[in-house]
Amino acid sequence: MILVQLVADGLLLGAVYALLSSGLTLIWGMMNVVNFAHGDFVMLAMYIAFVAVTFLHVGPAVFVPLAALMLFGLGVGVYFALIRHVMRGPMLAQILSTFGLGILLRYMVFWVFSANFVSLPNRMAGGVLAIAGLRLQDSRLLAGLMALLLTVGLHLMLTRTAFGSRLLAVAEDRTAAMLVGIRPDAMQALAWGIGAACAGVAGALIALFFYISPLVGDSLVLIAFVTVCLGGFGSIPGALVAGLAIGVIESLSAWFIGAAWQDVVVFALFLLALWLRPQGLMGKA
Amino acid sequence: MKTRVPLVLLGLAALGLPFVLHEVYYQRVAALVVLAAISASAWNLVGGYAGQVSVGHAMFFGSGAYGALLAYTVLGWPPIAGAPFGIAAALLLAVVVGLPTFRLQGHYFSMATIAAAELIAIAVGNWKLVGGAAGLMGPAAPRSIADLSFRSPLPYYYIFLLVLTILLLITARIERSRLGFYLRAIRGGERAARSLGVPAVRTKLAALLVSAGFTALAGSLYAVMIGFVDPESGLGLLVSVQMVIIAALGGAGTLWGPLIGAATLIPLEETTNAFFGGSGTGATFVVYGAIIVLISRFLPGGIAELWQLVRSRRRLRAA
Amino acid sequence: MTLSRRTVLVAPALALPAILRVSAAHAAAAVRIGAIFPLTGAMASAGDAIRSGVELLVDLINTANPNLAPIPLMATAGLPRLGGAKVEIVFADGQNSPAVAQSDALRLITQQHVVALTGAYQSGNTLTASAVSERYGIPFVNGESVATNLTTRGYKWFFRTTPIGPDIAKLYLDFLASVQKSGMKTSKIALVHDTSEYGVSVADTIKKAAAERKTPVALDVAYTNGTSDVSAQVLKLKQAAPDAAIFISYTSDAILFMKTMHVQNYKPPILIGDDSGFSDPSFITTVGSLAQGVLDRSAFVPGKPGSNAAKINALYKKKTGRELDDTTARSMTGLLVLCDAINRAGSTKPDAIRAALGATDLMPAQLFIGYKGIKFNAQGQNILASALMVQLDGTEYQAVWPSDQASAKLVLPFKGWT
């Protein structure tokens, strides 16, 4: 019975990782840019949720779309102000710029809200679904469901829509795409916007059951990077599978080996997987 | 011969700097600049010249730092005598982690190095024998001159400067050697380089070994000066990231880039901390983050690019 | 060319602190004390609370507050033995880095010319910062770092007022033994701790002390600080069903544990938090409603109206809108002891301050914290440091044990949420 609960908890945690990495995969895969500020995008969304709940007294039905919308704007803005200029530079310039951006965002929030931990009212985390001896929190189930929806949605968007093919075309060959009349800047700005909006959805949902602080992105996002990489560069279904796998591995290793070693297990398995399959689980060689 | 003149001037300036900087605190900042320049220059061999962006160099830095302080706590030796152990451990790690990881490309390589370094950091934190989470302490009071425990930062400054000079000489040698060409070829495109007969893995490993050795030495020197290391300060992600940031800020893949980066970033860190740190607003990092963003936005190739800009403009004017 | 470029790069760094010094120079008569705390980074939430407390204490010292009279330096404005000189605090941010804290100490001593230092919260930061003050012969009073080795280095200039590991372990075991006498089982103890220096050192001392009393710790759950999920850890507790669970956790994890125990509907009969995370005011604002009846190790309780502690707490609340927490109160006490020693020394000469610190002998009535007094041994450790058990009721912790210091009745088992 414990084992079932552990796996269920692991899957729900994995869904959080998948949720966190959805936007990251898009940006990473489509533009070959690692957004080191992704965790801080998520953190911003958590504060948007906090402010919306505290001052406007609204629920998730309002603050999740609100966070998505605001982060979309931020993503597009960041693209035009910064990313567009560093994208064609060396990979190091991208690391430098998004890392700097992350610090900047984090400490601007720090300045306004101070370092104190806050949290949404506990009632917002919703009830607990108790079935067959399992105890699952509503808000976590909601997050899991959204992770699934986002993954499917992004995947369909990339593979089934004209927008997706244009985006892929730009990712494949910028010049060629321009020749057939695609405006790469517009495409990539949209991709950044959507990627950031995913971070917005993720942050707003995670805020329901997690604590909020200016540095919260740090603790959440490192595993999300591993998730994206393990799933395979730019593979959106891959990130979901990898996220769920990592969640279950963490949960089981915390039980059987000890929580102090769970990240060691994850990193070791990750390295092993990469050495065996250098392009990630579902990435193209 | 003409190019030697600025070099000699730079050397003299570095040697004479402490005579201009009378305040001990500035002397310490100068020593920290040189120390950071050592590890960033060492990182530059792999991350800059070969274009293999490692974000796991903390594992080598930590090897050096732990080697030094383990020699003191376990054997009672002066910490610096542990540096060879630290360097040996780093070389071993470089082979064990490097060989399989070098198959990976681009971001996969970066992520794998992060994972390897984090894995080691957590393992060391859980391992009581090497100090665990509490870390290791150097001699509380110097027992002899060999403990290299000085009140003044100047001895550190000159020791660090010596090491940096050696490293820069080696780097300059490599730059002009066949290894240097191979490395740049790999950065330009590994597949193409291979097809031209560049032994990619052997080349990258050679660069990594030199890089890891010097990074470990930097770690030992850090431990000797600070007198303390724990998993976070010796092996943490930020240790790796700082090397990357400094090299990238100054100009990765150039001889002077890491030094320029260190001479910019370390005083920037210290100044913002001195100025805003006490305010408790986090302004330190707002300024710090903003400056990094601005530099990357306007000088994507690092500050060294300014130099090239100036030079090319001058050439234009001359033409 | 080369020279000038180098100068350009370094020059701003050199000029800025110089400007700072000029602006501070006008307050020449003031006694300057350096305070290093983590004001950014992962520990900033604690550092921020301490900073407010330090500011409050210095305000109280610098103005006349006869209503706080039993506390040294409160009745008069400034330091009377130094002609009413004001105390001026120069804050520095040690971040989460021992190297930065060390730089801070050097800067404060050589540039800001502070006469003494206090701080630096994380034991690693305190260790490296105090190494500098030792070399310069400047007194360093620490009020909150618990690593045992800080006072075993043979340092002449380092003093510590806070209780440390062995004191803490004794408190818990004595408390549990006394609860057992009242008829509730307490022999099966579980420890939950993070793998930070703090978590491991406190857990190890408790394990050792428990083994010596022939009641070895039954379950030891270690996890990494800043983890994103603690479900498995809570399940472990739930399955082992200990009589008492002791949590040694920082704020973020403490919050997460309460939320997760709520989801898993698990309540240990006795839930003890070891200060830090559970004392953080944001613990109460975020999960206080899930943690009713949680016990916490603390040296500070506001206590009865009219007591020193209640008055200081009211002032702190007025300034910040939050309750004064234990860690902040301990840091403030460290600074109070330092200022008192400087005053008694009647001089800002390091040797005089050190001698005065060594001769410190404060009574409980002179403090606003629950120590049995302040008196340093040869190593600089306060031998009268102690702590008590407090229990969360509503949004406030009340002292519940030992009974002679209790302000409320101990209520068991742990109630949690309703």
Side-chain angles (χ1 to χ4, degrees):
Chain A
M1 196 59 238
I2 289 259
L3 206 61
V4 182
Q5 177 79 49
L6 280 170
V7 171
D9 286 340
L11 286 172
L12 288 181
L13 174 63
V16 170
Y17 290 147
L19 197 57
L20 282 168
S21 42
S22 56
L24 202 56
T25 328
L26 185 72
I27 291 172
W28 196 337
M30 291 305 107
M31 266 164 279
N32 201 9
V33 173
V34 183
N35 180 14
F36 279 99
H38 187 76
D40 302 286
F41 283 16
V42 173
M43 176 273 299
L44 277 179
M46 294 172 89
Y47 274 97
I48 291 171
F50 175 71
V51 169
V53 170
T54 316
F55 296 104
L56 308 174
H57 311 288
V58 293
V62 177
F63 70 65
V64 174
L66 181 70
L69 208 66
M70 290 178 77
L71 266 287
F72 179 85
L74 178 75
V76 172
V78 164
Y79 176 80
F80 280 115
L82 183 63
I83 305 301
R84 192 158 67 105
H85 306 278
V86 296
M87 232 176 73
R88 271 157 283 169
M91 171 181 165
L92 280 170
Q94 300 157 12
I95 296 184
L96 204 61
S97 59
T98 55
F99 177 80
L101 177 67
I103 293 187
L104 185 64
L105 292 176
R106 194 178 308 171
Y107 280 96
M108 276 160 62
V109 170
F110 184 107
W111 203 332
V112 177
F113 291 92
S114 92
N116 290 319
F117 293 85
V118 292
S119 158
L120 298 188
N122 289 303
R123 64 183 155 77
M124 302 214 73
V128 172
L129 184 67
I131 34 162
L134 281 182
R135 297 186 63 86
L136 307 170
Q137 197 171 23
D138 293 346
S139 50
R140 286 194 173 238
L141 286 170
L142 179 66
L145 192 70
M146 281 306 287
L148 214 63
L149 280 178
L150 269 186
T151 308
V152 173
L154 284 177
H155 188 65
L156 289 180
M157 182 192 82
L158 284 181
T159 53
R160 296 286 147 81
T161 66
F163 170 65
S165 3
R166 281 195 208 123
L167 207 54
L168 286 171
V170 173
E172 204 72 29
D173 189 335
R174 203 183 153 93
T175 327
M178 272 162 85
L179 287 177
V180 296
I182 301 171
R183 289 182 14 233
D185 262 347
M187 285 297 113
Q188 301 199 307
L190 268 178
W192 260 81
I194 296 171
C198 291
V201 174
L205 285 173
I206 293 168
L208 289 171
F209 52 86
F210 213 72
Y211 57 83
I212 305 170
S213 83
L215 277 75
V216 70
D218 266 2
S219 34
L220 291 172
V221 92
L222 185 59
I223 297 291
F225 278 112
V226 174
T227 307
V228 174
C229 200
L230 183 64
F233 192 47
S235 162
I236 286 165
L240 179 67
V241 174
L244 294 177
I246 290 177
V248 173
I249 290 168
E250 282 203 346
S251 179
L252 290 179
S253 55
W255 178 267
F256 289 106
I257 305 172
W261 293 95
Q262 68 181 26
D263 285 343
V264 171
V265 175
V266 170
F267 288 132
L269 287 177
F270 168 62
L271 283 174
L272 200 68
L274 273 192
W275 287 336
L276 295 175
R277 223 185 128 70
Q279 69 277 31
L281 291 180
M282 299 174 84
K284 287 179 283 280
Chain B
M1 263 345 267
K2 206 181 115 223
T3 53
R4 291 283 161 83
V5 178
L7 273 185
V8 171
L9 282 179
L10 179 70
L12 284 178
L15 284 174
L17 191 66
F19 296 99
V20 186
L21 300 179
H22 289 295
E23 299 266 359
V24 214
Y25 171 64
Y26 299 149
Q27 295 173 352
R28 178 183 164 94
V29 174
L32 292 176
V33 166
V34 181
L35 182 64
I38 297 174
S39 50
S41 298
W43 176 89
N44 192 31
L45 285 170
V46 173
Y49 287 105
Q52 308 294 307
V53 179
S54 155
V55 195
H57 260 51
M59 63 181 133
F60 308 129
F61 187 87
S63 301
Y66 272 90
L69 293 184
L70 277 174
Y72 165 69
T73 45
V74 177
L75 304 170
W77 293 3
I80 194 67
F85 295 115
I87 293 172
L91 295 181
L92 192 70
L93 264 180
V95 175
V96 172
V97 176
L99 271 184
T101 313
F102 274 141
R103 287 175 53 211
L104 304 172
Q105 301 294 322
H107 297 303
Y108 287 112
F109 177 78
S110 306
M111 278 313 303
T113 50
I114 291 185
E118 281 292 291
L119 193 158
I120 292 170
I122 301 169
V124 167
N126 287 337
W127 189 14
K128 292 260 163 69
L129 225 65
V130 294
L136 296 171
M137 194 169 94
R143 300 162 301 172
S144 74
I145 183 105
D147 276 342
L148 299 182
S149 175
F150 309 110
R151 187 173 124 159
S152 161
L154 282 186
Y156 299 112
Y157 175 76
Y158 285 112
I159 296 171
F160 298 171
L161 201 60
L162 179 71
V163 175
L164 179 66
T165 309
I166 296 172
L167 177 56
L168 289 178
L169 285 175
I170 292 177
T171 310
R173 260 313 260 287
I174 292 178
E175 225 180 23
R176 287 190 300 265
S177 72
R178 182 183 302 193
L179 181 62
F181 285 114
Y182 283 175
L183 288 173
R184 280 191 293 266
I186 291 170
R187 181 176 58 185
E190 189 166 339
R191 214 173 287 177
R194 269 178 208 272
S195 66
L196 289 173
V198 172
V201 169
R202 212 190 321 152
T203 306
K204 287 196 274 188
L205 189 65
L208 183 63
L209 285 173
V210 181
S211 172
F214 272 96
T215 310
L217 183 55
S220 296
L221 296 174
Y222 168 89
V224 167
M225 178 173 171
I226 307 293
F228 175 74
V229 67
D230 63 2
E232 173 121 5
S233 62
L235 293 156
L237 183 57
L238 279 182
V239 178
S240 305
V241 168
Q242 199 188 33
M243 289 179 224
V244 183
I245 297 289
I246 287 177
L249 202 63
T254 63
L255 181 63
W256 300 104
L259 180 58
I260 298 172
T264 312
L265 198 79
I266 302 294
L268 174 69
E269 278 176 5
E270 291 284 342
T271 316
T272 49
N273 191 37
F275 235 127
F276 305 111
S279 72
T281 54
T284 314
F285 289 100
V286 173
V287 174
Y288 178 84
I291 289 179
I292 290 182
V293 168
L294 287 177
I295 292 180
S296 69
R297 159 71 177 80
F298 292 103
L299 295 170
I303 300 171
E305 224 178 35
L306 261 187
W307 172 253
Q308 275 147 14
L309 272 177
V310 171
R311 250 214 316 224
S312 62
R313 210 162 279 174
R314 234 190 250 159
R315 222 173 278 157
L316 269 181
R317 218 172 285 160
Chain C
M1 178 64 216
T2 326
L3 248 179
S4 68
R5 189 174 49 170
R6 202 181 164 90
T7 324
V8 168
L9 291 175
V10 183
L14 305 184
L16 295 183
I19 297 167
L20 263 187
R21 210 173 13 176
V22 171
S23 66
H26 64 90
V31 172
R32 291 160 74 84
I33 296 174
I36 306 170
F37 290 106
L39 301 174
T40 58
M43 298 297 154
S45 137
D48 186 47
I50 294 175
R51 187 191 145 84
S52 304
V54 165
E55 283 173 349
L56 170 66
L57 183 67
V58 170
D59 276 348
L60 295 175
I61 290 174
N62 287 342
T63 53
N65 297 280
N67 61 325
L68 292 165
I71 304 173
L73 307 177
M74 290 294 125
T76 51
L79 304 178
R81 302 275 303 269
L82 282 115
K86 299 272 189 281
V87 173
E88 186 188 328
I89 297 288
V90 187
F91 283 101
D93 177 10
Q95 302 174 7
N96 209 6
S97 158
V100 171
Q102 199 172 56
S103 285
D104 285 337
L106 186 71
R107 183 166 49 80
L108 292 173
I109 293 172
T110 62
Q111 296 213 290
Q112 300 286 329
H113 305 288
V114 298
V115 302
L117 284 171
T118 189
Y121 191 75
Q122 302 100 317
S123 292
N125 284 12
T126 305
L127 191 130
T128 54
S130 58
V132 173
S133 59
E134 186 72 16
R135 285 177 192 163
Y136 277 83
I138 296 285
F140 191 120
V141 178
N142 165 271
E144 68 285 318
S145 305
V146 294
T148 321
N149 63 8
L150 286 172
T151 39
T152 56
R153 292 176 295 173
Y155 275 13
K156 269 174 69 184
W157 298 92
F158 185 76
F159 297 85
R160 171 161 63 179
T161 52
T162 187
I164 54 175
D167 307 319
I168 297 168
K170 185 173 175 319
L171 173 77
Y172 291 142
L173 297 174
D174 287 349
F175 167 72
L176 290 176
S178 115
V179 171
Q180 178 123 4
K181 257 186 221 143
S182 73
M184 199 170 158
K185 236 178 113 265
T186 64
S187 52
K188 191 172 180 186
I189 304 170
L191 281 183
V192 184
H193 64 90
D194 70 16
T195 52
S196 73
E197 172 270 331
Y198 157 69
V200 174
S201 67
V202 174
D204 281 353
T205 1
I206 296 176
K207 272 188 263 182
K208 205 172 131 220
E212 277 163 12
R213 295 194 188 193
K214 307 275 183 283
T215 51
V217 166
L219 177 71
D220 179 8
V221 181
Y223 65 92
T224 316
N225 171 232
T227 182
S228 39
D229 189 47
V230 293
S231 299
Q233 290 89 311
V234 170
L235 284 178
K236 269 202 164 164
L237 282 175
K238 196 173 181 178
Q239 202 195 33
D243 302 324
I246 304 177
F247 284 76
I248 307 150
S249 303
Y250 283 117
T251 313
S252 54
D253 307 323
I255 293 173
L256 213 50
F257 267 112
M258 294 316 305
K259 290 191 178 228
T260 310
M261 290 201 282
H262 178 226
V263 172
Q264 296 295 351
N265 194 26
Y266 167 67
K267 300 175 189 176
I270 302 174
L271 199 167
I272 300 174
D274 180 70
D275 208 347
S276 64
F278 292 79
S279 291
D280 188 325
S282 37
F283 175 82
I284 301 174
T285 55
T286 52
V287 288
S289 59
L290 306 178
Q292 289 303 304
V294 74
L295 288 150
D296 182 20
R297 180 257 304 181
S298 178
F300 177 79
V301 261
K304 296 179 204 78
S307 67
N308 292 342
K311 286 181 199 161
I312 297 280
N313 186 48
L315 290 166
Y316 185 83
K317 204 168 175 179
K318 202 173 126 199
K319 178 178 162 74
T320 64
R322 293 176 305 192
E323 301 282 334
L324 180 56
D325 62 288
D326 174 63
T327 313
T328 303
R330 285 187 291 136
S331 299
M332 289 166 74
T333 302
L335 179 63
L336 177 70
V337 169
L338 176 59
C339 292
D340 172 58
I342 295 173
N343 180 54
R344 279 186 289 109
S347 143
T348 54
K349 294 221 168 58
D351 282 309
I353 299 174
R354 187 174 153 264
L357 274 170
T360 299
D361 187 4
L362 291 173
M363 301 290 148
Q366 295 175 283
L367 303 174
F368 51 87
I369 201 159
Y371 299 164
K372 294 184 185 115
I374 312 268
K375 205 171 193 172
F376 295 108
N377 64 12
Q379 295 178 320
Q381 171 64 36
N382 175 20
I383 49 170
L384 298 175
S386 62
L388 32 93
M389 301 299 297
V390 297
Q391 190 167 33
L392 186 63
D393 179 19
T395 60
E396 264 177 54
Y397 278 112
Q398 300 287 348
V400 290
W401 194 88
S403 35
D404 56 327
Q405 283 168 287
S407 59
K409 219 174 133 353
L410 176 67
V411 183
L412 287 174
F414 169 62
K415 191 167 140 217
W417 49 90
T418 41

